[in-house]
Each structure stands twice: as structure tokens, then as C-alpha cells.
Amino acid sequence: MSEITHPTIKDGWFREISDMWPGQAMTLKVNQIIHHEKSKYQDVLIFESSDHGTVLVLDNVIQCTERDEFAYQEMITHLAMNSHPNPQRVLVIGGGDGGVLREVVKHSTVEKAILCEIDESVIRLSKKYLPGMSIGFQHPNVSVHVGDGFEFLADKKNEFDVIITDSSDPEGPAESLFQKPYFELLYGALRDGGVITTQAENQWLHLSLITSLKKQCKEVFPTVEYGYTTIPTYPSGQIGFMVCCKDAERDVKEPVRSWNGEEEEKLCRYYNKEIHRASFVLPSFARKALRQAGLACTYDAIPQKKGPKGSRAKVISELRLREGQKEAEHRRQESMHNYGSLTSSPSSPILSGLLTDELIHGCMDFYFTNMYPTMPILQNEQLWRLITEMHNSVEAYCLLCSFCAFMLIQPGIESKAGHAIKTLESSLLNNTSLGRTLLDGALRRRKSHDYIENPSANAVITSFFVFGCFFGLDKHNTAWFHLREATTLAQTIGMQDEKTYTGFDWAESAPRLQKQLTEALPAVLDCPETQAADLRTSQHWLRTIVWQLSITNGFLSSTSPDSSMTFTYPIEIAKDLVAVTSQFSQRSMEVHGVGLIEKLFDIACTLIDVMSCVPLESPSFGVGPQDYLNHLVRLISLLRGGESRYLELVTTKIRDTLPSHMAASIAQPMMPIKAEASPEIPYLQHGDSSEYHSSNTSNSIHVCRKITHQLHKPSQIASSTLEWVWCLDVSGEV
């Protein structure tokens, strides 16, 4: 059998590297890899270390080592168990290694302990390789349920005294266990006075996440406290717990039960009643941050007014408390009903604490400042409309989530997006982590909406942003999957079919669209030459495509005051293209391959059709259409792949379409046209009836028919439909 290997183990050392703790890593010396497998949910690795015994690793993150696991297992268990006067029924969510169960059954009051673990492989492998922890499975009062914690809790009401959530970090299958809907389920499953503990990350690394988590808990539980333990093999040597109770009068910082000194030494290696109290004593920086998050519980509180005192006041307070609890229960049931509904409000689950107005506005500023010129697929008013709809539309919510995720994953957003992104209170440690959280939330929420059977333009854009997110995270296979999904959805709703846009008012919108395209890029691009070459060429190619669509719909006229709606507009486009391409090196254009050459070919073919159909006179001085065409032909012949594939096509079109005296002059060498000379290049002026304009209005119909006929010749390569569809979306009309 071949030796087991794993990408996290190199030169005999395991390295724990993650975006959750950037700039640092835990390393352990490896004696041998014991087991490795890919379960249904995660990557599972078990190895024997030189100094820490057997180590369990899930998704490249250490879960436990035999040397120090007790510090975590004892604290997450006994902080909750000893905050309850009589814990009889206990539920453990996660904890498939068995360590928490081992600690739970040390309490003689426990009559039933249930473990719910989503990944059976963790249970199976822990029983085999971690016997000191998995011994908890052998207790007669223990039962195991393999499945999702959310689903398990859905029908559990008033059943448990203590619930312990022993989860991994908020990524992958454990992410949903850090969000408000989960805490609402826990509240409903607890009996009166019930207590929960949940893994709550590290105050050195995840203070913003802990703050957000405490805010969510305070919206559900009247008593919420954050404590921590020290454990060498966890990031920064610490891990925290959120301890919550349904009893507003209970102080979970003070144990209500405890063992005597002899029992504590026998049962525990880390926990004692003094440690219980001390675990809630936080350093000043953490205490300040959590105090700011320590809002009064509003989940089942009711307004209090000044009134009677004494015994009568106690009776009134008791009645108010009961009334508030009934209202809270009604809201929880309604919330859970809506959570599983297709038409539910997206604001209830998932990421309501992260997708804030401040975040959305910061991402919008970054998008329109830095990305809109090259990705004009959303308009400002369109985004504002989505914001107003996000609480009632799953589709709008998912689009905004994926949009913000895509912005956050872009490099440099902190330096370009301004104060709004830098100071987000609800973000994780860095923008990439927050972006991944939003992306996962969007994908999970999207499953409740059948966007495949009911596709829309918003669904196409969402899939496109998801593609961009995964591409930015270097998950290219997943990225290409979602890009194919976007194009498939686009075809499903007919975005590649011109008939889809029959309701588009070209007479009004085409000039505006041409103006937007002309002004889409600044005069000076702050980007590498290779990127500028692609952007400039694509800009003028899109202008050509819109002009083609305008003539196909019969909206051009030789007397139009707007040059973009005249028959000779491709000459102006060619002039602008020649001016900018003269600035670029051959290499900067060649790197884009055949895609850029196809655009040059499309522009050249359109120019040829115009020259063949519109009566033109060569200018007495300067350069004209023949010179522009000559330059484009020269470019196609010089660029790698152009001569072998496109040069013959374009020269054949010239020979077959243009008059012989004009065609003979095209293939002649010419000097490059410098961009700085472009203002002096003669070009068509509004209302000019000479040079490039047809002679009279009656001839316009004839010219229109001739150009339309030429545009549909087989020699012209079809334009990329998807690109002009995105272009149309700029107008906000589609």
C-alpha cells in the first residue's frame, strides 16, 4: 500500500494555515500519517505527532490533540452544566470526537445525553483512533443521531436543560451554527432556565466576529456571557465560548453546582470552580468591545413603565413576563415557518448581521469608482431598487450578497473603497473572510429559490458574481461551473436572441447607449498597457455592435443630428480605434489572442460595408476611411493568428465589395496614425452634406437596405451575443 500524503504536511511538519488567522500558522512535527479521507462534508486527516499524540484535523484545521484536548472539552461542557441547577437532558451538536460526551456523563444528574453530528466519518474515525475521547459513546445514557443540527432541532420544543454546540470554525458545514436562526432554535428547544454554550472563537483574532455573535445572542437570550480557555494548539493559544441562559436572573459566571475539591481533581484536569469564575474575566480591549455589544435583550422583553411597587408590582411583572414569553414564542414559530418558505423574507436568516447598509454602500462606491467602466452590468438605480426589495425577495437578497462578496474579494478594496469598508464593525477579521461568508450565505439561501426553473436576468447576474468570487479565491473549477451556469441561464431566457429585445426603444435608447459607450473609459487609463489595449478595442467594438443593431431596426438617417445614428458612424468609430491602437505595442495586443483580432475584424468588415454603400469622396488632405481600413488590415496581418485566419477573409471581402480602384489602394503599407494627431484628422461633422454623407434623404432607404444586406453576408463573423447583451443591460431597459 502506498504511503499516505497530505498537502498540509511537508518535510515532516504539519502546517495549519487559514484566512481565519492570517499571518500566522501552527506547526506540529509529524511521526506518521494514520488516516486521510474526503468525507461527504469535509477533509479528514489523522496523524501521530511527535509531542502531542494523535491529532484530528478537519479541513486543514486542528480540532484536537491528545495532549491538550481536555482544556477545551472540559470548559465548553462544565461552564454550561454547572450553570444549571439540575441538568437531566443534554444535547450536544457537533462534537463527533466524543470528548464533550465524555465530560457530560461525568454529571450524575444526566438521564439522557444525545449527540447530533452531521459527519459520520468523524464519529467512526474517533472511535478507532481517539479512544480516550470517544469513550463517551459507551455510556448507557448516550444516544447518537447522524444528521444536520438545524433539522434535528426543528421539532424539538422544551426538551433539553443544556445544549452544547461543539462546532468547528464558521466555514463549511459549521457556518450555520453561528447565526441567529440557530440560536432561535436553541431557545425553543430548551426548558425553562435552560443553558447553552457554543464555541465562540478567539478574542485575539476574531473580536469583530465575537462582537457580532454576542449581539445576535442578546437578541434571543436575556443572559449572555463570553468566557474563554487556554489551549496551546488552537490559534493564538485561546478559544472562547458564548454561554447563554433563558433565565434573566441567572448569573452564569458563578457556578450554581460544583464538585468538592477531591471530586474536581479526580474528574477534571483543567476545570474547577475558580477557573469557572476566572474564565469570564477578560482583558480590557476585549471587555470594552463586548460591553459595546452587550445590548439589553429585546427578544422577549416588553416595555416597562413606572407603576405600583411592592407585592402588586411583582404580580404585574410576572404577568408581563408571561405575556412577553408568549409573544416571543409566537415570533419564533412564525420565524421558523418563514425560514423554510420559498417566499420567506431573506432578512431573517443567515447574514442579517453582516449585510448591513454600510457594507452595501461601501461596495457600491467601490464598484462604480473602480469596476463599473469595465463591468457595466448594474446601474446605480438598479442597485437601490434591489436594496428596497431584499427583505421581500430571495432573488434580490442573493444578488446583493454575491455582489458584496465579489467586491470584498477584490484586491485593494480597503485602500479604494474608503472609510465605509475599513471600519465595518460587523466584518470578520479581513474582507476576504467576510466575502467568503457572504458568498456561502448567498449560495445557501439561493437553494430555497428555484432560479433554474424560474430564471431571470438577476439570476444570470448573481451566477456571474458567484463565478467572480470563486475565481478571486483561486477555485477555478468551481468558478467555471458558475460561469457556465450564468451563460446557460442567459440562453434559457433568450438573452442571445434578438427577438427578446423587440420591446427595446432603439430610437430613444440607442443614442444614449452610444454616448455611454463613448464616455465609458476615461481619457487616460490607469492600468497596464495590455489591459488598456483590450478595453479600448472592446469599447469601439461595442459601439460598432450597437450601430449594427440600430441599422437592423431601421433607425439610421443621413440627416440625423446625432452622428451615432447616421450611416457613416462606423467611419468615426474606425478613426477613434486607429488613434488609440497606434499607441499600443504589438505585444500588448497579441496577448489577448484571437478574441481581440475578431473584434478588429468585425470593425473592419463594418467599415468595408459602409464604404461600399455610402457615396464617399476622398478628402483632399489628411486621412480618410481608406486609410483607417488600411491600418486595420495591417493590424490584423501583424497580430499573431490574424494573418493565417482573418487576413484572407478581410482582403476577400475588400476585393468582392469595394470598387476596384478603392480596393487596390487598401493593402498598401501606411505610416502609423499617432493619437496626438487625431484632432486634426478630418471627420464627418453634424449636418455635413458632402464628403462622407449620402446625397439626399430619399437615398437613405436605399443605403440602409444595402448596408443591412452587407452586414448579413456570411463573410462577417457573428458577434459575441453575450457581450452585447451585457452592453444592453447598461441602459437599464432590459
Side-chain angles (χ1 to χ4, degrees):
M1 185 173 65
S2 60
E3 183 181 359
I4 304 174
T5 61
H6 195 270
T8 59
I9 299 177
K10 296 180 180 179
D11 303 324
W13 287 84
F14 166 82
R15 293 171 175 82
E16 183 187 53
I17 301 174
S18 172
D19 290 338
M20 289 289 290
W21 41 89
Q24 67 182 65
M26 180 68 184
T27 61
L28 294 177
K29 190 173 184 180
V30 179
N31 287 342
Q32 64 171 330
I33 300 178
I34 299 174
H35 183 86
H36 175 236
E37 70 175 66
K38 293 273 190 179
S39 75
K40 183 179 178 181
Y41 299 97
Q42 54 203 339
D43 183 277
V44 184
L45 170 68
I46 300 176
F47 66 87
E48 178 189 311
S49 66
S50 61
D51 297 281
H52 289 75
T54 303
V55 181
L56 171 65
V57 178
L58 300 180
D59 281 341
N60 306 331
V61 175
I62 295 173
Q63 301 302 303
C64 59
T65 76
E66 288 183 315
R67 179 174 177 174
D68 60 10
E69 53 85 11
F70 61 89
Y72 173 83
Q73 315 289 358
E74 291 181 12
M75 290 296 285
I76 194 173
T77 303
H78 303 316
L79 287 179
M81 297 293 287
N82 285 338
S83 294
H84 194 286
N86 186 29
Q88 297 177 338
R89 291 182 59 83
V90 180
L91 172 64
V92 179
I93 303 291
D97 51 45
V100 171
L101 277 180
R102 179 194 65 196
E103 299 303 316
V104 166
V105 296
K106 291 178 180 178
H107 293 263
S108 58
T109 60
V110 174
E111 299 173 357
K112 186 68 176 179
I114 302 174
L115 180 133
C116 178
E117 165 65 52
I118 195 171
D119 196 341
E120 66 81 24
S121 66
V122 177
I123 299 174
R124 168 172 45 85
L125 296 173
S126 296
K127 288 180 177 179
K128 184 175 182 179
Y129 298 113
L130 295 168
M133 296 174 63
S134 59
I135 189 174
F137 290 110
Q138 301 175 16
H139 196 280
N141 292 344
V142 167
S143 63
V144 176
H145 173 83
V146 177
D148 182 77
F150 256 97
E151 296 178 2
F152 181 81
L153 286 168
D155 60 349
K156 301 296 186 294
K157 300 296 179 185
N158 302 314
E159 288 196 22
F160 301 101
D161 300 302
V162 173
I163 302 177
I164 302 167
T165 304
D166 176 16
S167 67
S168 52
D169 294 316
E171 298 180 310
E175 182 188 358
S176 61
L177 306 184
F178 286 75
Q179 294 157 0
K180 183 179 175 182
Y182 177 68
F183 297 118
E184 292 176 340
L185 284 173
L186 295 178
Y187 187 100
L190 286 174
R191 295 172 173 174
D192 290 342
V195 181
I196 71 160
T197 50
T198 184
Q199 191 267 99
E201 297 302 331
N202 185 293
Q203 57 192 303
W204 290 102
L205 300 171
H206 313 119
L207 193 55
S208 58
L209 173 60
I210 298 169
T211 302
S212 175
L213 188 62
K214 185 172 183 181
K215 286 180 179 178
Q216 294 182 68
C217 290
K218 287 291 287 184
E219 293 175 3
V220 179
F221 290 91
T223 299
V224 179
E225 298 292 346
Y226 176 81
Y228 70 95
T229 186
T230 61
I231 177 167
T233 54
Y234 280 7
S236 296
Q238 283 186 354
I239 192 71
F241 316 101
M242 207 64 73
V243 186
C244 310
C245 182
K246 292 182 74 171
D247 186 351
E249 304 300 322
R250 184 89 50 83
D251 182 6
V252 296
K253 295 181 290 185
E254 182 69 29
V256 297
R257 294 185 311 114
S258 62
W259 296 293
N260 60 41
E262 184 179 346
E263 289 174 326
E264 278 184 347
E265 291 184 3
K266 180 180 179 181
L267 295 172
C268 302
R269 299 168 64 190
Y270 188 96
Y271 177 88
N272 55 55
K273 52 182 171 291
E274 289 78 15
I275 283 284
H276 184 121
R277 300 185 185 101
S279 65
F280 296 99
V281 179
L282 304 180
S284 295
F285 74 91
R287 182 172 57 188
K288 179 180 178 181
L290 292 178
R291 185 189 302 122
Q292 293 172 349
L295 307 175
C297 175
T298 59
Y299 192 74
D300 53 5
I302 57 177
Q304 299 294 319
K305 299 181 180 180
K306 293 182 179 180
K309 299 181 180 180
S311 58
R312 184 184 172 198
K314 293 180 180 179
V315 172
I316 294 175
S317 297
E318 180 67 23
L319 290 173
R320 285 174 174 171
L321 178 61
R322 292 180 182 179
E323 179 185 352
Q325 290 174 340
K326 290 179 181 179
E327 291 178 358
E329 181 65 25
H330 174 73
R331 288 196 299 270
R332 280 194 301 277
Q333 292 176 356
E334 187 178 54
S335 173
M336 290 310 303
H337 172 74
N338 288 338
Y339 183 69
S341 172
L342 179 66
T343 59
S344 64
S345 167
S347 62
S348 59
I350 329 214
L351 303 169
S352 56
L354 298 180
L355 194 62
T356 62
D357 290 343
E358 185 181 12
L359 173 63
I360 296 173
H361 296 161
C363 290
M364 287 173 63
D365 290 343
F366 180 81
Y367 170 71
F368 286 111
T369 303
N370 302 282
M371 305 190 71
Y372 178 79
T374 57
M375 192 185 295
I377 62 177
L378 286 174
Q379 292 287 71
N380 191 50
E381 59 270 19
Q382 189 178 0
L383 278 167
W384 281 109
R385 186 170 63 250
L386 290 169
I387 291 172
T388 61
E389 296 174 353
M390 64 177 288
H391 297 291
N392 301 308
S393 169
V394 173
E395 191 171 69
Y397 176 82
C398 292
L399 199 161
L400 282 174
C401 267
S402 61
F403 167 76
C404 291
F406 180 59
M407 295 303 111
L408 289 165
I409 290 170
Q410 300 306 305
I413 184 170
E414 286 190 7
S415 60
K416 295 181 179 179
H419 185 72
I421 295 297
K422 290 180 181 179
T423 60
L424 284 176
E425 291 291 338
S426 61
S427 67
L428 300 182
L429 185 65
N430 56 53
N431 286 330
T432 301
S433 297
L434 178 56
R436 291 177 64 176
T437 302
L438 289 170
L439 173 62
D440 292 341
L443 292 174
R444 184 170 57 254
R445 190 72 182 108
R446 207 179 187 197
K447 293 177 182 178
S448 69
H449 173 63
D450 196 354
Y451 65 94
I452 297 175
E453 286 298 322
N454 302 285
S456 65
N458 283 345
V460 176
I461 298 173
T462 301
S463 294
F464 177 77
F465 282 136
V466 172
F467 149 73
C469 289
F470 282 115
F471 193 86
L473 294 170
D474 291 328
K475 296 185 177 182
H476 293 167
N477 288 338
T478 308
W480 299 132
F481 170 85
H482 287 285
L483 181 60
R484 288 191 292 271
E485 179 182 66
T487 55
T488 301
L489 290 172
Q491 288 193 331
T492 301
I493 61 177
M495 293 180 75
Q496 83 287 359
D497 190 348
E498 291 185 24
K499 291 185 296 184
T500 302
Y501 309 97
T502 53
F504 190 72
D505 187 358
W506 276 102
E508 178 183 348
S509 300
R512 184 175 72 250
L513 189 55
Q514 287 286 15
K515 185 175 185 295
Q516 288 177 325
L517 286 170
T518 304
E519 300 173 352
L521 299 178
V524 178
L525 289 175
D526 183 17
C527 63
E529 184 186 17
T530 54
Q531 186 179 2
D534 183 41
L535 291 175
R536 295 292 189 192
T537 304
S538 298
Q539 177 188 25
H540 299 305
W541 176 79
L542 287 170
R543 293 170 67 193
T544 302
I545 295 301
V546 174
W547 180 87
Q548 290 179 0
L549 292 170
S550 297
I551 195 172
T552 302
N553 286 274
F555 291 117
L556 300 186
S557 170
S558 60
T559 60
S560 173
D562 190 331
S563 63
S564 66
M565 300 300 286
T566 65
F567 298 112
T568 55
Y569 189 58
I571 298 174
E572 184 177 332
I573 296 174
K575 182 204 70 173
D576 294 342
L577 177 63
V578 167
V580 295
T581 54
S582 299
Q583 306 174 45
F584 300 132
S585 64
Q586 181 176 336
R587 181 178 180 183
S588 69
M589 303 185 74
E590 280 185 335
V591 296
H592 302 289
V594 70
L596 185 140
I597 299 174
E598 284 184 351
K599 293 172 182 176
L600 294 174
F601 178 80
D602 278 347
I603 296 170
C605 286
T606 303
L607 180 60
I608 294 168
D609 292 329
V610 170
M611 292 172 62
S612 69
C613 300
V614 178
L616 303 172
E617 295 180 10
S618 297
S620 301
F621 302 99
V623 293
Q626 295 180 35
D627 302 299
Y628 306 147
L629 180 57
N630 207 344
H631 182 92
L632 294 174
V633 172
R634 181 173 177 270
L635 269 180
I636 293 172
S637 66
L638 289 176
L639 296 179
R640 186 184 300 113
E643 182 177 9
S644 61
R645 184 172 179 181
Y646 295 99
L647 183 60
E648 183 179 354
L649 291 174
V650 74
T651 53
T652 300
K653 186 173 180 68
I654 291 171
R655 186 171 57 251
D656 295 345
T657 306
L658 297 180
S660 57
H661 71 279
M662 192 180 296
S665 65
I666 296 300
Q668 302 302 318
M670 66 172 286
M671 295 298 292
I673 302 175
K674 295 185 179 296
E676 48 269 28
S678 60
E680 284 70 50
I681 298 174
Y683 68 98
L684 201 59
Q685 300 291 337
H686 296 326
D688 210 349
S689 59
S690 61
E691 293 195 339
Y692 306 144
H693 271 80
S694 55
S695 57
N696 55 62
T697 305
S698 62
N699 194 35
S700 297
I701 300 175
H702 175 66
V703 171
C704 180
R705 288 173 178 169
K706 288 184 68 177
I707 296 178
T708 304
H709 173 71
Q710 293 288 351
L711 287 174
H712 287 84
K713 283 190 174 182
S715 60
Q716 183 176 5
I717 293 178
S719 304
S720 171
T721 304
L722 187 60
E723 289 200 53
W724 68 256
V725 167
W726 287 122
C727 173
L728 290 179
D729 198 49
V730 178
S731 68
E733 299 291 337
V734 180

